[in-house]
Amino acid sequence: MIESISNLWSIPLLVIIPMLTAIIVNFLYDKAIKPIAISSAIVILIISIISPYGYHWFCGHPALNPETLTFTFNPNIFGYKLSLEFIFGPLQHIMIFISSLILLFCVILSTIGLTKHQGPYIALLFLLFMSSAIVIMVNDLYHLWIAVEIGSLIVVGVAAASGTSISHKAALKYGLFSAISGAGLAVSLALILGLTGFANISDAIMYLKQFNIGEMSTVLYIAFGFFVLSWMYAGGLAPIHPLKSEVYGASYPHATTLLQAQSKLMLVAIGIIMLRLFGMLPFVKEVMIFLSVITMMIGVIMALIQIDFRWIIAYLIISHSGFVTLGIGLGTYEGLIGGIFQAVNDIIYMTILLLCCEALFYFGGKTSTKEAYGIAKKSPFIATATILGAIAASGIPPFNGFQSEIILIQACLKEGFPEIAVLILMVSVTTFIALLRGIYRIFLKPPELQSYDDSNVDLPKVLIIGIIIFIVLSIIIGIYPDIVLRFIIPVVKEVLSI
Amino acid sequence: MEELKGKRGIIALIALIIITIGFLSSLIKLTGRVNPGISEVYNALAYLVAPNNLATWVYDWRGFDTLLETAVIYVGGLVSALAIGRGVVQMKKCKQESPVTSKPLEFRTESLTVILKYLGIPASILLLSYGIMVVTGSSTSGGGGFQCGVIMTSGYLLAAILYGKDTPIKFGKRFIIGIGAIGLGGYALLGLPGYLVTGYWQYNIGADVWGLAPSILHIIFGDPFRLSLILKEGVFYSTPGIIPLINIAEAFNVIGAIGLIYFAFLYGWSDEGE
Amino acid sequence: MTSTETFYEKLKKWLDSFITGSGYTSITTGYITGELQFLLFIIVLSVFFRLFSIPLAIILLIFTTVFALYFSPVIKDVEKENMNDLNRVLYWMVIYFAIIIAITLWGG
């Protein structure tokens, strides 16, 4: 239950601690970064676990009750909020917990595996976490826009950090498009502000419900169009998927874990906001479903024809984003549960695959499927983990992917869309084919004799621990899905106001 | 641009026309019917903080938004310098292609005319002092931290362009980054007193509009910036509280971020020495 | 009318178009699976029109199947359309955006 306090202690810390850490490590540049970054990531993880639920009204201005014209600091009494509202509820709890877990591994892996001068890079990782935490917690249109804007800028930085020409190109292209989608979101929120007069999302929805907007729905439709633009951009839906997958593929795999978590969080957060703001208009849900279906299929088809394991995973991330948005687009009870649950599961199993991909860098960084490397013989653990990750991603029980995909399929059948259910099955199967192509070439197929090198490779223990933790999480959620669903169901009930 | 010729170009044009018609029709619908909503309340209460409504809006009602906006500028500086070569990272264990770097610009200062040579320094010093003047008037005029930062860095850029490597206004790398860090960190930490006392981050304890802070803090953060309005009806006092401090931090941050961008683009980036 | 021989020829040519050229075997499986996936996807999409009218969906289904087989292999074009070229992405974004606005504004 969300408590009735408007000054919850944990919300500002979840935003300010990453920001201050980023400032400090960026200034220090290469000295003493490791202890500061790791301890800060641990603190964030602990806060995300122990935090109670509630609201935070930044800058401490009260809400104005329109009937009595009195000010109140009690979030349970309805009033138009003067301050900027953040919510920490069950959805935020589970999402931020998983992101901060990934942040911790991401920071440790980058301090171990990368060359010196990592200050700016680790600063960007912390800011990436901050932007995704803000997007999922914020209940204010204007702040949402800023968070999406800063988020896309940070993605550009993370992609460019490896300094290769391909990552520079990916970063530049993605950065150019941020101008279009950021401006689109700004236009959209300007239209909603003009229509309702409220930047707070709950207040704007309350206004739309109270007053019949009639012929002004044109304005709302255009606002929806621009909103979708930024949704596509932030989550990498079609037609922006070539740019987003390029960013995923060109960044280091450990950074991609955080990048994909951020984009899933953005998809869920912006998707729910869209459903709440525009859900009552006809054709809105259909547009969202249409985009999701296209993304699902194009993503998986593109994954099939890639010749690099990193790019296969990159396109699969895109394709599976389509599942998330499909669930949200359906807008039903089962659909929303399936969509949000899929986002959580997706973050977990893609993290397994990406961490295995990171391990390949310790074997010489060869991820192309053109040649065979026979890595299964050198490290049976990584090979097994990758195959388990592939099984989880393709929705085979007892892993977590199965649980959310079955909910999504049921939701589609219940809504009368058996075709979409067929497509979900197709994508699941094809995910397995696409991954197995890469796995076979890289791990299983014996290498050519002359290119075989027998040297031993020491993988960092953190990497192995991380892979094991995420596999265990995947199995636990797969066997006992209620562990996550109990966070999601109250949120869905609230969104649909059941 | 091959893709946009022929049939595709025509289709794209039709699509753009549809978008334009839709967007304009919504703007026409909205004309004259814009709902003031919450902004009426904001404007009605703004006098309680700073005499300039803009400052109250940007740094008090929506003060936390502005923090994130400031962070956008900071990240912009960070990422631009990263693209030039500051903090590029590679995996220790595997060979990759060497990072892309950009060379410093070539300066040819010998062709500088006499007028520019002798007026350049005074002009940039004038710009720097104008920036300081702007930031001090943040709560009473339209000026503020953003503007101050931009004006001062433009003074820096003017000097750097005119005199090349012998520029009289010289900043070291760590100095610029330190200024940015002080700016953004200072802005973020100015929310701390309010958080510790009232539980609300960035509550303006100096202005204390809602009477949540103890009076001693109200005096410490409010009194140095107290303003008086003398009317026939009497003298009225108000204080913008932490707004002037936020503006100074803001100015530092903008100087740090934009200065870093200019520095990296002008001189390139190498990690050896200063 | 298509005789069996010409249909066979066509199929052979279609498969050849993957294998010759710059293709190598591991990628060929990917391309063929992708091609079939895309075909199925188009067919399933055309089935969707049953929501509006069932006869229309049947006609559309037959037409798309025939067209897709006639124009196959399309996977190379699909790949080309999904390239990361800026102009191409921009073009598709404008098209999508216009469709969204047209459907919601004048359909809703």
Side-chain angles (χ1 to χ4, degrees), chain A residues 172-194:
Chain A
L172 189 63
K173 284 177 189 168
Y174 192 71
L176 266 176
F177 265 73
S178 83
I180 296 169
S181 86
L185 192 54
V187 169
S188 169
L189 84 92
L191 291 176
I192 297 171
L193 258 178

Side-chain angles (χ1 to χ4, degrees), chain A residues 173 176-177 180 218 221-222 224-226 228-229 238-243 246 282-283 287 291 293-294 297-298 301-302 304-307 315 369-370 416-420 423 426 430 437 441, chain C residues 24-27 29-31 33-38 40-41 44-45 47-48 50-52 75 78-79 81-86 89-90 92-94 96-97 99-101 103-105 107-108:
Chain A
K173 284 177 189 168
L176 266 176
F177 265 73
I180 296 169
T218 313
Y221 271 128
I222 298 294
F224 169 72
F226 280 104
V228 169
L229 210 60
I240 317 273
H241 63 279
L243 304 180
E246 206 180 12
F283 280 104
V287 165
L291 277 177
V293 169
I294 300 265
M297 288 313 297
I298 296 288
I301 290 171
M302 289 304 286
L304 274 173
I305 57 179
Q306 297 305 312
I307 48 167
Y315 272 104
T369 59
K370 283 183 193 171
F417 296 133
E419 296 88 352
I420 299 181
L423 288 180
M426 260 168 67
T430 319
R437 268 188 56 232
R441 299 290 294 193
Chain C
Y24 24 82
T25 48
S26 99
I27 196 70
T29 50
Y31 274 107
T33 328
E35 171 78 30
L36 291 174
Q37 285 273 327
F38 192 74
L40 271 176
F41 176 48
V44 172
L45 270 194
V47 170
F48 244 108
R50 81 190 157 80
L51 293 175
F52 305 108
I75 186 73
V78 173
E79 192 189 5
E81 287 306 325
N82 286 289
M83 266 182 358
N84 50 21
D85 186 86
L86 260 188
V89 178
L90 197 61
W92 280 111
M93 206 181 77
V94 168
Y96 272 60
F97 192 36
I99 291 174
I100 290 169
I101 285 194
I103 289 178
T104 50
L105 257 190

Side-chain angles (χ1 to χ4, degrees), chain A residues 6-7 9 12-13 15-16 19-20 23 26-27 29 56-62 64 71 73 80-82 84 112-115 117-118 120-121 124 127 130 134 140 142-143 145-146 149-150 153-154 156-157 161-165 168 187 191 193-198 207 215-216 218-219 222 226 252 358 361-362 364-365, chain B residues 19 22-23 25-27 29-30 33-39 41-42 45 60-69 71-72 74-76 78-79 82-100 174 177-178 180-182 184-185 188-189 195 198-204 209-210 212 269 271:
Chain A
S6 54
N7 55 355
W9 59 271
L13 297 182
V15 179
I16 297 294
M19 190 190 276
L20 287 179
I23 295 168
N26 182 33
F27 179 69
Y29 200 39
H56 195 96
W57 290 357
F58 279 96
C59 302
H61 296 295
L64 173 71
F71 292 103
F73 279 100
Y80 294 122
K81 283 120 198 154
L82 291 177
L84 170 65
I112 290 174
L114 296 177
T115 49
H117 307 315
Q118 336 162 323
Y121 183 68
L124 285 172
L127 289 168
M130 183 196 77
I134 291 176
D140 191 280
Y142 187 74
H143 207 76
W145 168 57
I146 299 173
E149 198 185 27
I150 196 172
L153 200 53
I154 295 161
V156 170
S162 60
T164 54
S165 54
H168 266 232
V187 169
L191 291 176
L193 258 178
L195 194 61
T196 65
F198 296 101
Y207 180 89
E215 58 164 356
M216 298 291 273
T218 313
V219 181
I222 298 294
F226 280 104
Y252 289 118
E358 172 91 2
F361 273 85
Y362 290 87
Chain B
I19 294 169
F23 184 49
S25 69
S26 77
L27 286 186
K29 282 255 168 68
L30 209 55
R33 293 202 218 168
V34 172
N35 196 332
I38 200 81
S39 57
V41 188
Y42 278 151
L45 296 173
D60 197 343
W61 304 134
R62 314 291 305 183
F64 197 73
D65 281 335
T66 314
L67 172 64
L68 257 278
E69 279 287 13
V72 171
Y74 182 83
V75 174
L78 201 164
V79 171
L82 189 92
I84 300 290
R86 177 179 181 268
V88 167
V89 282
Q90 299 214 305
M91 294 293 279
K92 277 179 201 159
K93 291 281 175 175
C94 73
K95 282 256 179 292
Q96 281 170 290
E97 62 169 293
S98 51
V100 183
R174 281 188 88 76
I177 294 158
I182 291 170
L184 185 59
L189 287 176
Y195 177 68
T198 66
Y200 293 100
W201 191 273
Q202 215 172 312
Y203 178 69
N204 193 341
V209 178
W210 309 104
L212 300 177
W269 191 272
D271 280 319

Side-chain angles (χ1 to χ4, degrees), chain B residues 2-14, chain C residues 80-81 87-88 91-92 95:
Chain B
E2 276 301 304
E3 287 81 6
L4 296 180
K5 279 181 185 155
K7 254 185 280 174
R8 278 178 171 252
I10 295 167
I11 297 172
L13 186 68
I14 294 170
Chain C
K80 206 174 132 201
E81 287 306 325
N87 287 328
R88 217 172 273 272
Y91 169 77
W92 280 111
I95 301 288

Side-chain angles (χ1 to χ4, degrees), chain B:
Chain B
M1 293 306 272
E2 276 301 304
E3 287 81 6
L4 296 180
K5 279 181 185 155
K7 254 185 280 174
R8 278 178 171 252
I10 295 167
I11 297 172
L13 186 68
I14 294 170
L16 278 175
I17 290 171
I18 292 174
I19 294 169
T20 317
I21 291 173
F23 184 49
L24 287 182
S25 69
S26 77
L27 286 186
I28 289 166
K29 282 255 168 68
L30 209 55
T31 311
R33 293 202 218 168
V34 172
N35 196 332
I38 200 81
S39 57
E40 278 180 331
V41 188
Y42 278 151
N43 277 339
L45 296 173
Y47 77 95
L48 292 170
V49 190
N52 175 21
N53 273 18
L54 192 74
T56 315
W57 270 77
V58 175
Y59 296 103
D60 197 343
W61 304 134
R62 314 291 305 183
F64 197 73
D65 281 335
T66 314
L67 172 64
L68 257 278
E69 279 287 13
T70 311
V72 171
I73 296 176
Y74 182 83
V75 174
L78 201 164
V79 171
S80 306
L82 189 92
I84 300 290
R86 177 179 181 268
V88 167
V89 282
Q90 299 214 305
M91 294 293 279
K92 277 179 201 159
K93 291 281 175 175
C94 73
K95 282 256 179 292
Q96 281 170 290
E97 62 169 293
S98 51
V100 183
T101 48
S102 65
K103 284 183 205 131
L105 294 184
E106 273 178 40
F107 291 105
R108 287 223 206 96
T109 44
E110 64 272 7
S111 61
L112 199 64
T113 60
V114 180
I115 295 178
L116 286 180
K117 201 170 176 181
Y118 289 106
L119 286 184
I121 301 178
S124 51
I125 291 173
L126 216 59
L127 275 173
L128 292 183
S129 16
Y130 178 53
I132 294 171
M133 197 192 92
V134 165
V135 76
T136 50
S138 59
S139 52
T140 48
S141 69
F146 282 110
Q147 292 89 326
C148 159
V150 174
I151 291 167
M152 288 181 82
T153 39
S154 63
Y156 167 66
L157 184 65
L158 181 68
I161 287 177
L162 290 183
Y163 303 104
K165 286 204 169 107
D166 313 317
T167 171
I169 306 170
K170 249 187 201 148
F171 293 148
K173 290 177 206 168
R174 281 188 88 76
F175 179 72
I176 294 180
I177 294 158
I179 282 186
I182 291 170
L184 185 59
Y187 192 156
L189 287 176
L190 274 171
L192 193 64
Y195 177 68
L196 294 177
V197 176
T198 66
Y200 293 100
W201 191 273
Q202 215 172 312
Y203 178 69
N204 193 341
I205 42 172
D208 198 20
V209 178
W210 309 104
L212 300 177
S215 56
I216 176 78
L217 280 172
H218 180 41
I219 291 165
I220 291 173
F221 282 91
D223 271 2
F225 311 106
R226 189 175 288 279
L227 300 161
S228 62
L229 178 66
I230 302 164
L231 293 175
K232 259 192 290 182
E233 290 80 6
V235 184
F236 298 90
Y237 293 101
S238 81
T239 167
I242 57 174
I243 289 179
L245 294 174
I246 286 181
N247 271 290
I248 292 166
E250 173 79 65
F252 269 84
N253 174 58
V254 175
I255 294 170
I258 300 184
L260 181 63
I261 296 177
Y262 287 161
F263 184 91
F265 277 83
L266 286 174
Y267 306 118
W269 191 272
S270 69
D271 280 319
E272 287 89 39
E274 266 293 283

Side-chain angles (χ1 to χ4, degrees), chain A residues 280-317:
Chain A
M280 70 288 184
L281 298 174
F283 280 104
V284 159
K285 288 175 186 166
E286 282 76 358
V287 165
M288 288 162 85
I289 293 173
F290 168 76
L291 277 177
S292 325
V293 169
I294 300 265
T295 309
M296 263 159 60
M297 288 313 297
I298 296 288
V300 86
I301 290 171
M302 289 304 286
L304 274 173
I305 57 179
Q306 297 305 312
I307 48 167
D308 190 306
F309 197 50
R310 283 162 77 185
W311 295 80
I312 293 176
I313 296 178
Y315 272 104
L316 286 178
I317 295 170

Side-chain angles (χ1 to χ4, degrees), chain C residues 7-21:
Chain C
F7 187 73
Y8 170 74
E9 296 273 287
K10 206 166 157 40
L11 193 70
K12 191 163 172 288
K13 219 197 268 172
W14 177 41
L15 286 175
D16 275 351
S17 66
F18 295 120
I19 293 159
T20 52

